[in-house]
Amino acid sequence: MSFHDAPIDPTSAERLAQSGLELRLVDLDDPAAHYGWLQAERRGFHMTAGNDGQLAEVRAAAPRRRTVGVFDPESLIEAEPVATTQSWAAPLTVPGGAQVPTWCISSVTVAPTHRRRGIARALLEGELRAAAAAGLPLAALTVSETTIYGRYGFGAATFADVIEIETKRVRWTGPDAPGRVRFVEPSRLLPDALRITDAVRAFQPGALRYDEHLLGTAIGLYGDDREKLRTVRYDDANGVPQGFACYGLTPTEGDFTKHTATVRYLLGATDEAVAALWRFLLELDLVSTVRATERPVDEPAVWQLGDLRAARRRRSDRLWLRVLDVPAALAARRYAAPVSLVLEVDDPYGFAAGRFLLEAGADGAGHVARLEGEAPEGAASVALPVSELSAIYLGGVAATTLARAGRVTEHAPGAALVLERAFAAERAPWLTLEF
Ligand SMILES: CC(C)(COP(=O)(O)OP(=O)(O)OC[C@H]1O[C@@H](n2cnc3c(N)ncnc32)[C@H](O)[C@@H]1OP(=O)(O)O)[C@@H](O)C(=O)NCCC(=O)NCCS
């Protein structure tokens, strides 16, 4: 049995059945069932109904994810479920470079005719139980609203900036890149883009492995708006592709010199490639504003503009994580400082609940065990909900901030700082692409 055929959660199925609803896996080999599910998902996110071409493209190109629907026998459109989710397992890079198998959840929608009756709760709880049963230490998602997922133990673990740059203020102070930037068709770029994203995943905490459809959509190969996008690739001095960018241009009415270049995705396996692509975009003629979305919070380019205020930044949460298996998750990452720390984790769902002792030495390797008796002498100690443990896990949220916010309790002063120093990551965690 493969991952996407794993049985649906019986507890949630039973709960929904009590309201006359049926929770079931959608058979992706049945085109009508798949199309119905895709239309329900589009409706849930307020998109237009998909035309035959759009649906056929997703059906042909999208990976076979575990696809769940909730069906109401009284629906007038029988093939369309009243609620949807999808999930799949993908490796997530954690501090130190290890890749932790993570249960990714997406496409959570409930029809407006069926909202606020506990359907999303049944779906989410079912996903978490399925993930835990499959032995995955983490679950992850990105959110439409930040108010929805904390109750299930998720915490915001990575952040992303929209960076808007007024190009006339820019005087490039970054390095002169020795390679070159060239336009490339998305289909030709895809294999290089997959290789470059893999190279980035090796050093970038918070990065997930993407399938070809998700990455292809980001570079303009698939998707409703692909005609508006341009794609370029940076090759280093040896001719090796090291980065790429995908952007679209919007004119300003009445002034042809003031286009806005909106960068959908810019990724480089080297700092040189990232700088070269930024410089290319900032020097586009007839462009007065470069607006890049999904940028890391430690973006080096803002230090290469010659004017720090040329860039305006707006930050939002990006990857929401949920620790399911504390020892497995904590042992997988490396620690920036030697530490002996007791974590008392509160998890109403039980998956992560308990007292754990984390010990790490100078080599950064962590050893984690459930703590039955007394804590070792000298160990720092904190109590925190699983959502806060999940938020700090990748090193992108400061434990001292959460302590000051009353979300982490120190059993002795200074414990949050010990935690924060140990959990620091080698660079700001970044989910390079929203899913
Ligand atoms: C968000 C959505 C999935 C919620 O579905 P739902 O079936 O109405 O949610 P439930 O009835 O199971 O609600 C469970 C809990 O979440 C709360 N909740 C649900 N949606 C919420 C929202 N948008 N903001 C804050 N709380 C929300 C409910 O009040 C309830 O709270 P409780 O802990 O007191 O029980 C649904 O409104 C939807 O499809 N929205 C549009 C698409 C979307 O944004 N999806 C999320 C993608 S990340």
Side-chain angles (χ1 to χ4, degrees), residues 33-43 54-55 58-59 81:
H34 194 183
Y35 284 2
W37 186 92
L38 289 170
Q39 293 289 31
E41 182 202 24
R42 290 180 71 102
R43 186 182 60 201
Q54 288 164 333
L55 297 184
V58 176
R59 194 168 148 67

Side-chain angles (χ1 to χ4, degrees), residues 44 108-110 116-121 144-145 147 149 151:
V108 179
T109 74
V110 173
R116 306 301 183 270
R117 307 183 194 172
I119 296 178
R121 178 180 287 282
S144 60
E145 292 185 78
T147 44
Y149 295 103
R151 58 174 55 73

Side-chain angles (χ1 to χ4, degrees), residues 65 88 92 104 141-142 158-160 193 197 200 204 206-220 244 246 263-267 293-296 318-319 430-435:
R65 293 176 176 167
W88 66 100
L92 172 74
C104 302
L141 41 74
T142 59
T158 79
F159 294 78
T197 52
V200 171
Q204 179 60 64
L208 268 173
R209 187 177 66 208
Y210 296 119
D211 56 70
E212 291 192 15
H213 185 250
L214 200 57
L215 189 57
T217 305
I219 64 171
F244 57 91
C246 183
V263 185
R264 174 191 283 194
Y265 199 28
L266 186 163
L267 197 70
T293 59
E294 302 294 334
R295 298 312 301 162
R318 194 49 81 228
L319 185 72
W430 178 39
L431 177 72
T432 69
L433 193 58
E434 195 177 1
F435 60 85

Side-chain angles (χ1 to χ4, degrees), residues 248-271:
L249 292 157
T250 321
T252 297
E253 209 182 315
D255 191 343
F256 200 63
T257 65
K258 288 202 166 63
H259 285 73
T260 294
T262 300
V263 185
R264 174 191 283 194
Y265 199 28
L266 186 163
L267 197 70
T270 61
D271 292 335

Side-chain angles (χ1 to χ4, degrees), residues 57-190:
E57 179 181 287
V58 176
R59 194 168 148 67
R64 290 178 65 86
R65 293 176 176 167
R66 181 181 155 79
T67 304
V68 171
V70 176
F71 293 84
D72 183 343
E74 297 191 356
S75 280
L76 299 178
I77 310 175
E78 291 84 2
E80 291 186 14
V82 296
T84 60
T85 54
Q86 263 194 335
S87 51
W88 66 100
L92 172 74
T93 306
V94 299
Q99 320 257 323
V100 179
T102 298
W103 184 278
C104 302
I105 304 167
S106 180
S107 308
V108 179
T109 74
V110 173
T113 47
H114 289 68
R115 67 192 282 281
R116 306 301 183 270
R117 307 183 194 172
I119 296 178
R121 178 180 287 282
L123 287 171
L124 262 297
E125 291 179 359
E127 291 290 334
L128 294 182
R129 283 189 288 265
L136 273 70
L138 299 168
L141 41 74
T142 59
V143 310
S144 60
E145 292 185 78
T146 49
T147 44
I148 302 173
Y149 295 103
R151 58 174 55 73
Y152 308 114
F154 288 86
T158 79
F159 294 78
D161 284 350
V162 174
I163 304 183
E164 206 166 287
I165 299 172
E166 214 181 319
T167 56
K168 74 169 187 302
R169 292 176 69 158
V170 174
R171 190 179 40 82
W172 181 255
T173 60
D176 286 326
R180 59 183 186 158
V181 174
R182 285 181 293 173
F183 284 102
V184 59
E185 284 167 0
S187 55
R188 182 162 180 186
L189 174 64
L190 187 62

